[in-house]
Amino acid sequence: WMHVTSGMSGLSDRFGRALPTLVFGTVVVVLGALVTWLIVGEWGTILALVGLSLGLLFAAPGFSSIGSVLHPYPVARPGDSPFSQPGRSWGSGVFWHPTTGFIAILLMGPSVYAGLVALNGGESWWNFVALGWGVVVGLIVLIVGLNAGARQFERRSSEIMAFAQSA
């Protein structure tokens, strides 16, 4: 409710919520790629892995930026345990969150396919296809999601405030 009442722009709110995930996730992807490279020792495989990982990392906050405005769910109140959940159903959020995760996985299908082709004896350029698809499609979903979520945040601010007060 503080974001709504402060008059914060929708894009600032959505980007501020996505930034910690993007920063932490990028660190995990880079460290995971380095450890995988140390184990596997093949740079091409790492390209495909990084492309897929970054694609999923970028797509998740993109979809979440829209979903958390359209289908908010209650969170713990100040002073409550962060592991507690208010006694209210998630409503449509129960459907929205797994559905968007499934869509993100489907969008990364070509990246998975390209990586598997390269891994199973295909040309090494398939690794670059996997990297490019993951990064480009993930960034598109992130940018579109942040902007669409920002517009919905500004349009639905009174509904979000009513939900925050009732939760």
Side-chain angles (χ1 to χ4, degrees), residues 14-155:
R14 301 289 94 191
F15 184 70
R17 290 174 184 271
L19 190 60
T21 300
L22 294 171
V23 169
F24 182 74
T26 301
V27 170
V28 170
V29 167
V30 168
L31 291 177
L34 288 174
V35 169
T36 304
W37 180 74
L38 290 173
I39 294 170
V40 176
E42 193 172 322
W43 66 269
T45 305
I46 304 312
L47 292 176
L49 177 66
V50 167
L52 174 62
S53 300
L54 288 177
L56 291 171
L57 174 65
F58 295 154
F63 283 126
S64 177
S65 293
I66 301 167
S68 63
V69 174
L70 297 177
H71 306 284
Y73 56 90
V75 296
R77 294 192 175 273
D80 290 348
S81 167
F83 300 105
S84 69
Q85 184 69 22
R88 181 178 172 174
S89 73
W90 278 37
S92 60
V94 170
F95 174 75
W96 173 257
H97 294 285
T99 301
T100 57
F102 184 68
I103 293 169
I105 291 169
L106 286 177
L107 286 173
M108 292 303 122
S111 184
V112 171
Y113 176 77
L116 288 174
V117 168
L119 187 62
N120 290 314
E123 299 292 326
S124 62
W125 58 267
W126 281 101
N127 289 309
F128 289 101
V129 171
L131 175 68
W133 181 273
V135 171
V136 169
V137 171
L139 282 173
I140 289 170
V141 171
L142 176 63
I143 291 167
V144 168
L146 287 174
N147 285 305
R151 285 191 303 277
Q152 288 299 319
F153 180 84
E154 291 169 358
R155 207 175 289 145

